[in-house]
Amino acid sequence: ENDSILWLGSLVGGRFEYNLQSGKSTRVVNPTLTIDNFDLNKVTALYKEEQYLWIGNGYGVSRMHIPSRSFKNYRFKDQKGNTLPGTVVRCFFRDSNDILWITTQNGLVQIDGKTKTVFKPDPSDSLAIPDNITMDVLEDFNGNLWAATSGEGMCEIKWNKEEERYTFKNYRIDLSGLTNISSIINCVIKLDPYFLIGTTNGLVLFDPESKTYFRNTELAPQIQGYINSLAMDQAGHLWISMDDGLLGFFPEDGRLASFDIIDGLPGDGIGYRSSFMNGSGKIYIGGLDGFTSFYGHTFPTENSSGNVIITDLKIYGESVKVGEDDDYLGRSILENHISRTQEL
């Protein structure tokens, strides 16, 4: 909200107003909801604009007026007027035409003034949105709208004047010819003039001009693994959240660095789609054991330390987990994180 207030959403505790100066948090309850029609304690997305905070609950959307703590709740219906169950929100996006787009697990939602529209797949309509699960909405360098679907790739959104409706055209990753890359999209950020896409197995770039997917190791590292979220700081450094830690990519020298609990992260588990950068360039990363913040653009362009730090132990390509019994030995190999293990 400002230099001292951070809004946090959690999957089990609701929403919190966190004072960055005092370190104290206050849980903010929506008294207008009942447990019968909303999952009150599940917050999957937050979006602040002016004096309002949009909140993606487990089964809908609320908008809170921050000064008065007053709420307005939204439930979404399909074309037949049926309330959509399980509308888990992934993100909010306000486009250049002042239209609010909301990506969910059950269709793409558009709020234009007082009009609410839900776009869902229609097998009889080749121009309908191809996937129920939408992850992000972005505008490309030319101001064109794109939706990132979970399994049907990047989807171009066009306004059809003749039919007076939005039409969708998708471009699937698995038809691009790329190998060792997942077709399941988790997150997308702008890397002008391209989109950088995080999937369930690695990174891929998409050119909205040529409608093609490609890889470029000068722009993004070629890594494998589940990408939880992406952020790019003011210096163009990429911050890649994965299940077992955080990767920083520094394009100026091609360096890829890994960070975990020994660098200050609150734990090994980084939250799904839980990265955020404020106006001053500070990046916040949420996890299972709390959150951390840092200024990514102030990181040195070269390694400042010659110390060797062991950050992972893999057997046949699989990371060994702390306390987990090995099938062959019948006991755990690591009792502590590898960085804190003295010998094997």
Side-chain angles (χ1 to χ4, degrees), residues 186 198-203 223-228 242-243:
N186 281 343
T199 76
T200 54
N201 188 31
L203 295 169
I223 58 177
Q224 293 185 349
Y226 199 104
I227 310 296
N228 280 328
M242 305 185 72
D243 280 346

Side-chain angles (χ1 to χ4, degrees), residues 63-185:
R63 190 185 72 171
M64 181 182 75
H65 182 245
I66 295 174
S68 66
R69 296 293 197 270
S70 59
F71 290 84
K72 181 178 181 179
N73 306 311
Y74 297 83
R75 294 301 301 270
F76 302 115
K77 299 181 179 181
D78 60 19
Q79 292 90 336
K80 297 181 180 180
N82 301 316
T83 300
L84 296 176
T87 312
V88 177
V89 174
R90 290 305 177 199
C91 87
F92 299 88
F93 177 76
R94 178 80 65 179
D95 69 18
S96 55
N97 293 317
D98 201 32
I99 295 174
L100 182 66
W101 299 85
I102 306 173
T103 63
T104 80
Q105 296 286 101
N106 204 351
L108 176 64
V109 178
Q110 179 201 62
I111 298 181
D112 186 0
K114 295 183 179 180
T115 303
K116 298 188 292 293
T117 306
V118 180
F119 301 97
K120 293 179 67 65
D122 184 353
S124 64
D125 185 359
S126 62
L127 298 178
I129 193 167
D131 196 344
N132 253 332
I133 304 175
T134 52
M135 308 303 291
D136 286 291
V137 173
L138 307 95
E139 286 183 331
D140 64 24
F141 195 68
N142 296 315
N144 302 312
L145 276 176
W146 291 82
T149 67
S150 176
E152 296 293 331
M154 296 300 294
C155 187
E156 191 175 22
I157 306 174
K158 292 278 190 180
W159 173 254
N160 189 316
K161 293 183 180 180
E162 295 181 357
E163 300 183 16
E164 294 188 344
R165 66 161 184 158
Y166 283 96
T167 59
F168 301 84
K169 185 175 182 180
N170 65 308
Y171 300 88
R172 293 174 59 100
I173 298 177
D174 56 1
L175 300 179
S176 65
L178 291 174
T179 58
N180 299 323
I181 191 75
S182 172
S183 60
I184 305 300
I185 295 177

Side-chain angles (χ1 to χ4, degrees), residues 136 138 148 154 187-192 194-198 203-206 229-233 237-240 275:
D136 286 291
L138 307 95
M154 296 300 294
C187 51
V188 183
I189 62 170
K190 289 179 69 174
L191 190 62
D192 283 338
Y194 310 119
F195 294 140
L196 179 62
I197 301 170
L203 295 169
V204 66
L205 290 149
F206 180 75
S229 63
L230 296 167
M232 185 172 68
D233 63 32
H237 304 149
L238 293 176
W239 298 94
I240 306 159
S275 61

Side-chain angles (χ1 to χ4, degrees), residues 261 268 313 320-324 332-344:
I261 56 175
D268 292 328
L313 171 65
V320 176
K321 296 181 179 180
V322 176
E324 186 175 276
S332 61
I333 295 175
L334 291 180
E335 298 300 329
N336 297 292
H337 189 270
I338 186 64
S339 62
R340 301 179 184 276
T341 300
Q342 299 300 313
E343 62 180 16
L344 288 171

